[in-house]
Amino acid sequence: MLILGIETSCDETGVALVEDGTVVRSNVIADQQTLHARYGGVVPEVASRAHVDLLHPAVEQACALGGVHLGDVDAIAVTIGPGLAGALLVGVAAAKSYALALDRPLLGVNHLIGHVYANVLDHGALPLPAVVFVVSGGHTSLLVMDEQGAFRVLGQTIDDAAGEAYDKVARVLGLGYPGGPVIDRLAREGDPAAVRFPRALIDDGTYDFSLSGLKTAVLRHVRAHRVDSGEKLNVNDVAASFQEAVVDVQVSKVLRAAAEAGIDTVLLAGGVAANSRLRARLSEEAERRDVRVLAPSPALCTDNGAMIACAGWFQLKRGERTPLDVGADPNLQIVPGVGRRASRRPKRRGGTTSTRHE
Ligand code: KG4
Ligand code: ZN
């Protein structure tokens, strides 16, 4: 079974061909980061237009690289949410057109569930039940996956998502967009104990997260050291100290969830799962407690079409089909009705452009 996976929820136009849910025949990512970098965040209108230009050539490239014709595809999987409304619409409209023209089933995939299934591409069948930690640009969710496709929500962010916090702090430090990879890199040269930033909610007994106070603390520190002539700002130390505060809370809550649920597998998912400090600290501390941690390879952590094709294949196997009149849902939840935080809904700034960051 050859699945065409289409991902356009944010600023990556991802198209992939995946065989039987596990073998990646091709995985094309037309990234728009240079387009958005000068705005310091994703501009939804720019993203939508870029998806229109990039999507069909990406489909052709994915077929060429995979050595197949479009007609060889058995089903079309596409991200239907959460994400930016206009960006999602481009992928959904294209996927419907391919499904109709080729007379193949359409599989509407939740983007976050796609991130979780990226693990299958690297590790094969998921050991279930598992504690699942989804950390991306728009989400922080701690879940339990009891069986294929069945999730329970333990907790989530009450304000900023993990990736959002990395991107905002990077902006404050003048490091550009996206911020996560740069902070990850600079932090390796910094002292994680240099500045004691707050670890919000670390001992509150819940599985919720809060990062807006930490972001403000970094902002105050940066301002104080830029204005204050005495002490010079050490960007590497600030990056390392910020990242350590984030990772401390994440590791503590994820492992407590595993212990309290009596589950010995943790699955990481989402762009922030590429963070080298999170991966190293979590694996190290989990090993001491006989908990196994699986994470996709860093390239498959961030948005791509292969994870969507993979999740779509599992839906197909369960006999699920998506009707052709399905719409894009920018606020799609993993568990319907649960979730305080909307998805990456852009906030208006200055009346002209809008970004999801700030
Ligand atoms: O999952 P993703 O590609 O898109 C969303 O679904 O949002 O995640 C993108 C986010 C960005 O905020 C980016 O800064 C962050 O993932 N990110 C990282 C790293 N690589 C990407 N954050 C921390 N460390 C990284 N190495
Ligand atoms: Zn994503």
Side-chain angles (χ1 to χ4, degrees), residues 9-10 12 111-112 115 135-138 163-164 166-167 177-181 184 243 270-272 274-276 301-303 344 356-357:
S9 69
C10 192
E12 243 105 29
H111 178 77
L112 302 172
H115 273 304
V135 267
S136 70
E164 199 176 355
Y166 274 95
D167 293 337
Y177 172 84
D184 193 345
Q243 181 176 266
V272 182
N275 185 265
S276 60
C301 284
T302 42
D303 293 350
R344 298 174 289 198
R356 78 171 146 116
H357 303 282

